[in-house]
Amino acid sequence: MSNISAATLRACLKAFLGEQEYRRFLEAGAADPMKFWQERSWEKFVTEHPEMAMRSDERASALDVCPAHEAPLMAGFTDSPEGHTFMNTPEMRHVFPCAPLMPLLPAGVYRVKYCQQCISAKAEYFASRKQQNGARA
C-alpha cells in the first residue's frame, strides 16, 4: 500500500468533496468499477492531491467504511434477498446507513456488508420508538 494511511485518505477526500458528497461517495462503494461520477471525482481529487494516488484495490480497502461512523464494514449473511438492501427512511439512512433489514446469520444465501455501530444505532432507534408507542397506549 502507498505511504498514505486510510484515515488520512478519508480525511483529505472528505475535505475535498465536502460532507454530503463524501457520504454519497462512500455509500456508492469504492471498489472497481466505480460509478462514472465517482471516477470523475476521484480523478479531480488525485489531480489536486497527487500524493494520494494509489491502486484501485488500496482505494477500495481504505474507503470500505460506513458513511455514518467511518467504521470498517464487516461481511455477514442473510437468508433474504432484501437483506442486502437498505430501504430505510432518509433519517434512518443518515443515522444507520449500513444496518441490513433482515437479521444477520453466521451463514446464509446472501452476503451483506454492515457496520456494527449502525446495527446498535438501529436497535436503539427501534427500542426508543417502542417505548414512545407504549407510553401513548
Side-chain angles (χ1 to χ4, degrees):
M1 180 156 172
S2 66
N3 295 336
I4 305 300
S5 74
T8 300
L9 171 68
R10 290 193 301 269
C12 291
L13 185 61
K14 183 188 255 183
F16 180 79
L17 295 175
E19 179 75 31
Q20 190 172 7
E21 194 66 15
Y22 173 72
R23 272 186 75 118
R24 185 174 163 233
F25 195 98
L26 292 181
E27 287 169 358
D32 280 336
M34 287 194 300
K35 295 180 175 20
F36 178 78
W37 64 267
Q38 284 178 293
E39 290 175 3
R40 295 302 153 262
S41 293
W42 181 256
E43 288 169 5
K44 289 176 186 175
F45 172 68
V46 171
T47 298
E48 190 166 313
H49 301 282
E51 71 279 8
M52 299 289 172
M54 59 184 60
R55 295 187 328 254
S56 62
D57 63 322
E58 293 173 328
R59 178 195 63 229
S61 177
L63 298 176
D64 192 25
V65 297
C66 172
H69 305 105
E70 291 203 20
L73 294 176
M74 301 167 67
F77 297 93
T78 181
D79 282 334
S80 168
E82 291 83 35
H84 70 279
T85 22
F86 307 112
M87 297 173 48
N88 295 319
T89 66
E91 175 196 0
M92 295 162 109
R93 280 193 301 271
H94 186 75
V95 178
F96 45 87
C98 296
L101 289 173
M102 303 304 291
L104 291 165
L105 304 170
V109 179
Y110 297 96
R111 186 173 183 263
V112 294
K113 287 199 167 190
Y114 67 95
C115 167
Q116 189 60 51
Q117 292 178 38
C118 281
I119 290 174
S120 296
K122 182 178 180 180
E124 289 173 20
Y125 175 86
F126 283 109
S128 70
R129 287 190 55 149
K130 186 176 180 180
Q131 285 178 344
Q132 288 172 0
N133 289 339
R136 288 186 215 157

